[in-house]
Amino acid sequence: MANNSEDRFTGNDELISRLFNDIKNDLKKEGHPLINHKWIDKNSDKYRLISITPEYSEIQLLELHFELFRYSKLICFEIHPEGNFVEKQRFSKLAQDFVTNFSSYKLTDWSVGGEVDSSKFQNKKIIPINKVKYSFKAGDYAETRDSLKLQLKRIYEDFIPTRDQYISLKLKDKMDEAELNLLKVLNQFKEEEKLNFFSFLDKIVNHLDLKTNDFKINYSIANKRLNFIVGQRYCWNLYSDNDYKYAAISENRISENSKNYKGNPPQPFFNKLKDFKNVLYNESDILESTRKEYEGSLKSGYNSNNKYFEKAVFNLDYRKKIMSIDDFSNTEQISTEQKSVINLNTILYGPPGTGKTYKTKELAIQIANPSFQVTGSNSIDKRKSLVNEYDRLFENGQIVFTTFHQSYSYEDFIEGIKPIPPTTEGEIGYEVLSGIFKNICDQASEKKNVFNFEEIYSNYANDVIEQGTIVLETPVHKKPFQVRINSKETSVAIPKTESATEMGITKEMLKDYILNGNIRDWKPYTIAIGKYLTDNYSVKISQVENEKKNYVIIIDEINRGNVSSIFGELITLLEADKRSNGDEKVIVKLPYSKKPFSIPGNVYIIGTMNTADRSVEALDTALRRRFAFEEVLPKPELLSEHQFGDFNLSEVLKTINDRIEVLLDRDHTIGHSYFLKVRSSEDLKYVFENKIIPLLQEYFYHDYGKIGLILGEGFVQKKENKVTFAKFDEVDVPDEFVTYELKTIENIEEAIKTLLNK
């Protein structure tokens, strides 16, 4: 009630309640449809509620309502969503269209308690752009009431079509309890956490080659947790917890918050992790430990499988839908975010011929130029487009390529003492030179560059050669010395003394001095020649931002080198947090140059590894922990269109590999690339005689009996043994001595039919 002595309302609660009930009574007198809705006179000084549908409606939208809401000096009727986040999202999409069609309204975020958390899903409410002013003066009351009543009637009429659409969608998209439970759990996580969880789960699924309805796997949810269970053990979890976010199984302890499963032989660890980077650092360990759990399990002991969680794992469209429901992300954004998780150190491993080196180009471009789009109307044109971009990045120095081998060393990869061209007197000199890895790290860290330095130095060298020599002075003592250019385009400084020692100052030494002021050797002569260059040639130093670019080094056949020896002390620096931009940055002093060095965070390493040469397990443990391993397996499906009479090459490759796996293992299967260019019987015969059979001879050490079990009688035949043994002591002669040999292939297609048992 208003205070008659002061003609004012005593407080917010009295004012808002009076307005609410007077508007209700006025609409009742007018016979307005809103009088059939439920009016809820809450005990609050902030708001009152009106149901969005009549009380007698077949469907009650308890999650939507009109709300009389008071701000500090303004008041208005709004439309609010409540209920679970599925319904809020459904409302939000329709509300976007509503405010587009009606310019007198707008959408805004709101949250319980009035606090908006940008990391969480927010409710979207519809509010009128023009709110109503109010005061506690009784004389202003009638105008406030009439304005609010008019506003309510207008928002009711405007919103009816949208409300009916909402009802239609609600009935169409009705979800069962299991799906709602999944969505409620998902709503507790930030977008980045969900994207990380599912992207890594995709890697596990690919690593294990999982399919739906696998009895060994359980996809379960808990109050604040998503659980990927293999057999009896949690292998990959997502938590809504302040102390940790992820949990994973591993063979080695990878977190301070770890527990060791009990058992004999030694059992794996279950690690709780706060930072997703730690998951990526230990990817290979987690994947292999999960694989061992899978291979050692017959059936999961859990019966809490959530079919919608499982559906989200295998159905990307459904996953995009529920991610969108949860956090307003569109599907393109989700796809991009998932692709963006690229490890700093990756090894592509698999049997020969699976396209590991082929794939490195695609991955390197994705890292060095993420915005690149492949063009072309067919696969040949698309590959040409990709190769052209690879060549461009290679020429720019953003991608480099090397191959490890038995004699490859630290001095080739990081830095070492190398001989320089001899002087005219035949004296041999030595210099500390950077290897391919240090060179790309230096380039990735560059902040300055000399424009067209190669051309400038070439002009300088030609000028000196034309003159024979030039005479310069040392900067401090002004002692004259001659400079000539040798056959390697190195500047040779010759002091004017009786016992002059020639000193070589290389192009790289001069560039380093001009750019960075670094003097590697022969200080007075380096300074003098550098000054001569800058004074007499158009040396322009520009600022560059190489740290904003990504650089890639591809190491082919990484397992063929002695990795521990080649990387040396830099093994530690490979980890993301130990890099120059990491939280635990580590700097080492290089043994030859004695200079400090760290690996930039924008240098990526891609290695390839042929598992037929050496298995992943045989690699150095320190290396395995610091690299993510991505398996590249044969893809027989790529050969499904290569048809030869009664068979296609997809069937042939799959049959051969199934038999190899039984007789040997998966690491020694045969890749699809051997067959990709086969177009005729002659091509097919050539591939078998020159590719497939030699591989099998190597795998089985010329045991033609086992090769025969794989290829059949069309390729291998029993060898007649007409051998008579010499008389020798009491040694028994075998009654029957059976051997096998390769056949001459007359008709390759008939031989392959025999292979396929046709």
Side-chain angles (χ1 to χ4, degrees), residues 267-543:
Q267 298 298 300
F269 291 87
F270 185 69
N271 312 273
K272 293 180 178 179
L273 306 152
K274 190 169 186 177
D275 193 342
F276 187 63
K277 289 180 181 178
N278 289 339
V279 178
L280 296 180
Y281 300 157
N282 299 282
E283 178 178 321
S284 58
D285 192 348
I286 296 169
L287 291 178
E288 280 305 294
S289 186
T290 306
R291 180 181 63 80
K292 289 181 179 179
E293 289 299 315
Y294 183 80
E295 292 177 350
S297 301
L298 295 175
K299 183 179 180 181
S300 176
Y302 292 82
N303 58 0
S304 54
N305 196 68
N306 184 294
K307 62 181 180 180
Y308 295 102
F309 179 13
E310 182 174 3
K311 182 178 179 181
V313 173
F314 292 96
N315 186 328
L316 186 57
D317 290 335
Y318 177 71
R319 188 193 306 176
K320 289 175 180 178
K321 175 185 173 184
I322 62 171
M323 296 285 266
S324 174
I325 284 173
D326 188 355
D327 49 27
F328 284 97
S329 301
N330 58 51
T331 57
E332 291 299 323
Q333 181 181 359
I334 290 171
S335 176
T336 301
E337 289 293 333
Q338 287 177 336
K339 284 175 63 177
S340 69
V341 181
I342 300 176
N343 295 288
L344 284 169
N345 313 309
T346 302
I347 291 179
L348 306 179
Y349 71 99
T354 53
K356 298 178 291 297
T357 306
Y358 183 92
K359 189 176 180 179
T360 58
K361 290 189 175 183
E362 181 180 341
L363 184 56
I365 291 171
Q366 186 182 344
I367 294 168
N369 184 8
S371 61
F372 173 72
Q373 296 291 326
V374 176
T375 59
S377 56
N378 55 55
S379 59
I380 295 175
D381 289 343
K382 288 178 180 178
R383 184 64 186 180
K384 186 176 180 181
S385 165
L386 188 142
V387 170
N388 288 339
E389 177 62 13
Y390 175 90
D391 291 341
R392 184 188 72 82
L393 293 168
F394 185 87
E395 289 297 321
N396 289 345
Q398 276 186 259
I399 298 175
V400 297
F401 184 97
T402 189
T403 302
F404 280 4
H405 48 78
Q406 287 87 343
S407 59
Y408 203 89
S409 67
Y410 178 95
E411 288 73 17
D412 299 312
F413 195 59
I414 311 299
E415 69 170 17
I417 297 175
K418 301 287 184 178
I420 58 176
T423 65
T424 53
E425 298 175 356
E427 294 181 0
I428 298 175
Y430 295 89
E431 182 184 356
V432 176
L433 295 179
S434 298
I436 188 171
F437 184 64
K438 184 173 182 295
N439 278 332
I440 195 171
C441 289
D442 290 342
Q443 186 174 349
S445 306
E446 274 186 1
K447 296 182 179 179
K448 292 187 292 185
N449 195 13
V450 179
F451 177 73
N452 215 9
F453 182 78
E454 295 293 328
E455 182 179 341
I456 290 169
Y457 190 85
S458 178
N459 291 336
Y460 151 76
N462 289 333
D463 290 345
V464 175
I465 290 170
E466 285 183 9
Q467 298 177 50
T469 61
I470 60 173
V471 178
L472 302 177
E473 290 182 339
T474 58
V476 177
H477 299 291
K478 305 301 180 182
K479 292 183 178 180
F481 66 94
Q482 290 182 322
V483 178
R484 66 176 180 83
I485 304 297
N486 68 14
S487 59
K488 299 294 184 181
E489 288 197 342
T490 293
S491 297
V492 180
I494 311 167
K496 287 191 172 183
T497 60
E498 293 183 2
S499 57
T501 300
E502 296 187 355
M503 292 152 286
I505 296 94
T506 65
K507 178 170 58 178
E508 290 73 21
M509 291 169 67
L510 289 170
K511 183 178 181 181
D512 193 14
Y513 169 69
I514 292 170
L515 267 181
N516 308 308
N518 293 332
I519 299 172
R520 301 185 188 180
D521 205 351
W522 314 122
K523 180 177 179 179
Y525 306 103
T526 299
I527 294 173
I529 297 173
K531 186 175 185 305
Y532 180 82
L533 271 169
T534 56
D535 289 347
N536 293 277
Y537 298 88
S538 300
V539 177
K540 295 180 181 178
I541 299 176
S542 59
Q543 299 295 319

Side-chain angles (χ1 to χ4, degrees), residues 567-612:
F567 278 91
E569 72 276 16
L570 301 193
I571 280 281
T572 302
L573 276 61
L574 292 175
E575 299 177 25
D577 64 334
K578 306 296 191 303
R579 302 238 181 161
S580 61
N581 62 338
D583 296 334
E584 303 291 334
K585 175 181 176 180
V586 173
I587 300 175
V588 300
K589 182 180 284 188
L590 295 176
Y592 293 103
S593 64
K594 307 302 180 184
K595 291 182 179 179
F597 178 78
S598 63
I599 301 177
N602 58 332
V603 173
Y604 291 73
I605 302 173
I606 303 173
T608 69
M609 174 176 162
N610 188 338
T611 53

Side-chain angles (χ1 to χ4, degrees), residues 214-221 227-231 300 302-306 309:
D214 191 321
F215 292 133
K216 296 183 180 182
I217 307 296
N218 189 274
Y219 304 88
S220 77
I221 62 173
N227 309 311
F228 173 74
I229 303 171
V230 179
S300 176
Y302 292 82
N303 58 0
S304 54
N305 196 68
N306 184 294
F309 179 13

Side-chain angles (χ1 to χ4, degrees), residues 710-751:
I710 293 170
L711 299 181
E713 295 176 348
F715 293 87
V716 180
Q717 63 186 3
K718 187 175 181 180
K719 183 179 180 181
E720 291 186 19
N721 290 301
K722 299 179 180 178
V723 178
T724 56
F725 292 95
K727 293 181 180 180
F728 179 71
D729 202 16
E730 300 295 328
V731 177
D732 293 332
V733 175
D735 295 331
E736 187 175 356
F737 188 71
V738 180
T739 59
Y740 300 91
E741 64 182 356
L742 293 174
K743 288 177 65 174
T744 301
I745 304 172
E746 302 292 344
N747 187 323
I748 186 65
E749 293 190 31
E750 289 299 322

Side-chain angles (χ1 to χ4, degrees), residues 644-647 680-681 684 745 747-754:
F644 284 82
D646 296 336
F647 62 86
S680 65
S681 294
L684 189 56
I745 304 172
N747 187 323
I748 186 65
E749 293 190 31
E750 289 299 322
I752 290 177
K753 286 182 185 179
T754 305

Side-chain angles (χ1 to χ4, degrees), residues 136-256:
F136 292 117
K137 294 179 181 179
D140 297 335
Y141 174 77
E143 182 180 354
T144 302
R145 178 199 62 207
D146 292 344
S147 297
L148 285 172
K149 181 173 69 173
L150 183 62
Q151 186 183 75
L152 176 60
K153 291 165 71 174
R154 185 180 297 117
I155 198 171
Y156 170 80
E157 293 171 6
D158 292 344
F159 193 68
I160 285 176
T162 303
R163 181 198 68 185
D164 292 343
Q165 280 183 278
Y166 182 90
I167 292 173
S168 176
L169 287 174
K170 183 179 175 75
L171 293 172
K172 178 182 177 182
D173 296 338
K174 189 174 181 181
M175 298 180 179
D176 64 25
E177 185 177 358
E179 187 170 19
L180 285 173
N181 287 339
L182 170 64
L183 298 175
K184 287 177 182 177
V185 173
L186 283 173
N187 190 44
Q188 300 176 63
F189 304 109
K190 294 180 181 180
E191 175 185 344
E192 182 183 9
E193 293 165 355
K194 289 177 290 189
L195 291 171
N196 289 342
F197 176 77
F198 276 102
S199 67
F200 195 78
L201 186 51
D202 287 339
K203 292 185 178 184
I204 295 175
V205 169
N206 291 333
H207 188 69
L208 302 182
D209 194 22
L210 296 181
K211 302 294 187 293
T212 55
N213 302 315
D214 191 321
F215 292 133
K216 296 183 180 182
I217 307 296
N218 189 274
Y219 304 88
S220 77
I221 62 173
N223 184 31
K224 295 183 177 181
R225 193 170 73 235
L226 291 175
N227 309 311
F228 173 74
I229 303 171
V230 179
Q232 312 302 316
R233 288 174 175 169
Y234 291 136
C235 287
W236 174 234
N237 293 4
L238 178 64
Y239 291 88
S240 178
D241 191 286
N242 292 329
D243 296 328
Y244 51 87
K245 295 298 179 184
Y246 311 96
I249 196 170
S250 65
E251 295 181 41
N252 303 291
R253 186 186 297 275
I254 61 175
S255 167
E256 292 181 359

